[in-house]
């Protein structure tokens, strides 16, 4: 048998090494529950505080109590959840901020975008930083390639220090070669400015990212091409839907074409440590549409969470109350059962489930996510122990 095992080790050595390299596992860091996009010309040092203030004002005007908000979103929202939402809007209204130089900013004269890039970088350097933050540049498609790289260059020149929370979003990716080109751009800028390794997210907004001309799922090859620099896959609701010919009235995060794209994204990201983010809804809670927009947003957030997608985009301050309310309710409703199943798995109780190790990983991850975003607190489980069970290298707690 020793000879057989030695032969198996020899034959499978390359496959073992490839598996370890391509599927690195959890990165050991907190995933933000949302990404907020702010057009570059509207961003300054007050933006984060302003978004929190506007979100609280929306609650004051349209849902001044838990009962008010519960009636609007048709969910069992307790006073505790409501107060947690308000506290979150005070303490940390934005978990992930992206200063947008792409669709939210548009095409401007070069001198205008140059000035905006410098001003935004200086404001980010001076202002309060959210746990995650960065910018979305224009794509590496031929018409916008130089502009996107120039904006990133100027931004880094005037930002100064780059911390662990800094991330760049690369939109409208259509080829593996664009991802390889982005790696080259980042390597060049790291050397130029002497900054730490730069990371980026791939924005899935084109059908080419999901299905290449050769019939393969290019998004998986893109993740591999970017290596450890790729930290996220973000679904672009409207560009992707429009590219497939979906009429504007039916473009949505829950359209079948959106679900298919996100299924492929989740498959490509599984086991790699790359976060998957859902997209946005363009139905904004403003004017007479606040209640309807809140109902829709609340439902869409809950739907994403149930699908195992723990992050999405928010485009307006008044979307923050329903983002946090839906997320907090999701974790609080699921905590008791998750805790019971974890206790049983660890040999400290019983449940009606015979859970496998993979499910225990998911249960620990669920509880840990709930703690990290502020939905729950528990003294029953140590966060470091949860992180180990969830197969995280490190937990930010």
């Amino acid at each position: 048998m020793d000879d057989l095992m030695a032969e198996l080790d020899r034959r499978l050595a390359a496959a073992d090494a490839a598996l370890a390299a391509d599927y690195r596992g959890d990165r050991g860091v907190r995933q933000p529950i949302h990404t907020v996009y702010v057009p570059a010309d509207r961003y300054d040092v007050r933006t984060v505080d302003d978004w929190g203030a506007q979100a609280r004002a929306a609650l004051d005007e349209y849902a001044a109590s838990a009962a008010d908000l519960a009636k609007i979103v048709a969910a069992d929202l307790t006073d505790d959840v409501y107060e947690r939402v308000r506290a979150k809007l005070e303490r940390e209204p934005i978990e992930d901020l992206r200063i947008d130089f792409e669709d939210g900013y548009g095409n401007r004269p070069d001198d205008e975008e140059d000035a905006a890039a410098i001003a935004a970088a200086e404001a980010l350097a001076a202002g309060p930083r959210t746990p995650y933050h960065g910018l979305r540049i224009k794509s590496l498609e031929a018409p916008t390639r130089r502009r996107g790289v120039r904006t990133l260059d100027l931004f880094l020149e005037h930002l100064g220090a780059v911390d662990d929370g800094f991330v760049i979003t690369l939109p409208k990716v259509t080829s593996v070669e664009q991802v390889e080109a982005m790696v080259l751009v980042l390597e060049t800028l790291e050397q130029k400015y002497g900054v730490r390794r730069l990371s980026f997210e791939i924005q899935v907004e084109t059908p080419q990212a999901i299905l290449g001309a050769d019939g393969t799922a290019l998004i998986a090859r893109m993740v591999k091409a970017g290596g450890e620099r790729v930290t996220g896959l973000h679904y672009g609701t409207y560009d992707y839907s429009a590219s497939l010919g979906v009429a504007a009235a039916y473009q949505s995060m829950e359209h079948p074409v959106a679900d298919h794209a996100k299924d492929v994204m989740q498959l490509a990201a599984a086991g790699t440590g790359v976060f998957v983010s859902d997209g946005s809804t363009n139905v904004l809670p403003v004017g007479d549409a606040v209640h309807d927009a809140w109902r829709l947003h609340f439902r869409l957030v809950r739907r994403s969470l149930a699908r195992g997608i723990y992050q999405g985009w928010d485009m307006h301050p008044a979307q923050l109350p329903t983002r946090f309310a839906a997320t907090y309710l999701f974790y609080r409703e699921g905590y008791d059962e998750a805790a019971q199943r974890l206790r049983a798995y660890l040999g400290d109780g019983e449940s009606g489930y015979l859970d496998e190790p993979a499910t225990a990983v998911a249960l620990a991850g669920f509880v840990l996510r709930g703690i990290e975003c502020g939905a729950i607190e528990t003294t029953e489980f140590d966060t470091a122990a949860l992180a180990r069970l969830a197969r995280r290298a490190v937990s930010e707690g």
Side-chain angles (χ1 to χ4, degrees):
M1 290 299 293
D2 288 345
D3 290 343
L4 173 61
M5 297 312 300
E7 177 63 14
L8 291 179
D9 287 342
R10 184 188 68 78
R11 290 191 179 200
L12 295 175
D16 291 342
L19 183 67
D22 294 340
Y23 297 95
R24 298 178 296 275
D26 197 299
R27 298 205 313 276
V29 296
R30 162 191 179 185
Q31 180 177 7
I33 68 171
H34 68 167
T35 299
V36 163
Y37 280 80
V38 178
D41 57 333
R42 300 181 197 171
Y43 173 74
D44 59 35
V45 294
R46 300 180 299 275
T47 295
V48 175
D49 290 339
D50 286 348
W51 270 60
Q54 290 178 58
R56 295 192 300 273
L59 275 180
D60 290 339
E61 183 172 357
Y62 296 103
S65 69
D68 292 339
L69 188 56
K71 183 177 180 181
I72 293 168
V73 300
D76 186 18
L77 280 170
T78 63
D79 289 340
D80 181 63
V81 170
Y82 184 85
E83 292 307 317
R84 284 175 182 270
V85 170
R86 291 199 68 97
K88 179 75 168 180
L89 294 173
E90 288 272 4
R91 180 183 73 254
E92 191 180 69
I94 297 175
E95 292 194 0
D96 184 21
L97 171 71
R98 206 65 76 247
I99 304 168
D100 190 15
F101 288 89
E102 207 235 350
D103 284 349
Y105 179 76
N107 295 318
R108 314 273 184 108
D110 281 340
D111 59 347
E112 187 174 337
E113 183 160 338
D114 287 351
I118 294 169
E122 291 175 344
L124 181 60
R129 291 196 180 183
T130 54
Y132 293 92
H133 43 267
L135 73 162
R136 178 168 70 168
I137 63 172
K138 290 179 169 64
S139 78
L140 291 184
E141 293 177 329
T144 55
R145 185 177 302 149
R146 285 175 173 76
R147 182 62 263 179
V149 173
R150 178 176 174 82
T151 294
L152 179 56
D153 185 11
L154 282 170
F155 196 94
L156 289 172
E157 179 183 353
H158 292 270
L159 178 63
V162 172
D163 59 21
D164 290 343
F166 185 75
V167 63
I168 302 150
T169 304
L170 180 65
K172 296 181 175 61
V173 181
T174 56
S175 68
V176 176
E177 288 78 8
Q178 286 184 1
V179 173
E180 294 170 341
M182 185 64 172
V183 171
L184 175 61
V185 169
L186 299 187
E187 289 173 345
T188 303
L189 293 176
E190 287 166 0
Q191 293 177 5
K192 181 176 180 179
Y193 295 113
V195 296
R196 64 179 295 279
R197 173 179 286 190
L198 297 169
S199 301
F200 69 104
E201 302 157 339
I202 298 170
Q203 199 157 7
V204 179
E205 302 179 275
T206 68
Q208 291 86 357
I210 297 299
L211 187 68
D214 61 355
T216 63
L218 291 191
I219 191 63
R221 292 171 54 196
M222 290 175 184
V223 170
K224 183 176 175 63
E228 294 186 15
R229 292 181 185 275
V230 175
T231 59
L233 301 177
H234 285 223
Y235 178 66
T237 305
Y238 299 98
D239 281 277
Y240 186 85
S241 300
S243 295
L244 269 66
V246 178
Y250 297 95
Q251 293 172 7
S252 166
M253 292 162 57
E254 56 187 343
H255 192 281
V257 303
D259 285 342
H260 172 260
K262 288 177 284 189
D263 285 344
V264 176
M265 291 163 61
Q266 284 180 281
L267 284 167
T272 66
V274 172
F275 295 147
V276 175
S277 175
D278 212 328
S280 63
T281 173
N282 61 5
V283 181
L284 300 181
V286 296
D288 295 334
V290 171
H291 287 191
D292 288 342
W294 270 354
R295 264 190 296 275
L296 174 65
H297 188 242
F298 184 92
R299 180 173 62 77
L300 290 174
V301 173
R302 293 275 294 191
R303 185 178 188 273
S304 297
L305 291 167
R307 287 175 55 86
I309 301 177
Y310 301 106
Q311 184 177 352
W313 296 5
D314 289 326
M315 313 298 286
H316 191 277
Q319 289 180 327
L320 300 185
T322 39
R323 170 69 61 184
F324 295 129
T327 302
Y328 283 12
L329 190 61
F330 173 77
Y331 287 111
R332 293 184 70 77
E333 285 180 340
Y335 173 73
D336 287 342
E337 181 179 304
Q340 182 180 17
R341 292 171 69 174
L342 275 175
R343 285 193 296 269
Y345 179 81
L346 296 170
D348 191 26
E350 295 181 354
S351 76
Y353 297 86
L354 184 61
D355 286 319
E356 299 282 347
T359 301
V361 172
L363 290 166
F366 175 89
V367 175
L368 197 54
R369 289 176 186 276
I371 293 170
E372 288 170 337
C373 73
I376 55 178
E377 297 105 15
T378 177
T379 57
E380 183 174 3
F381 300 105
D382 177 70
T383 55
L386 285 172
R388 288 192 295 271
L389 185 55
R391 298 179 183 169
R392 286 196 188 182
V394 183
S395 173
E396 292 183 355

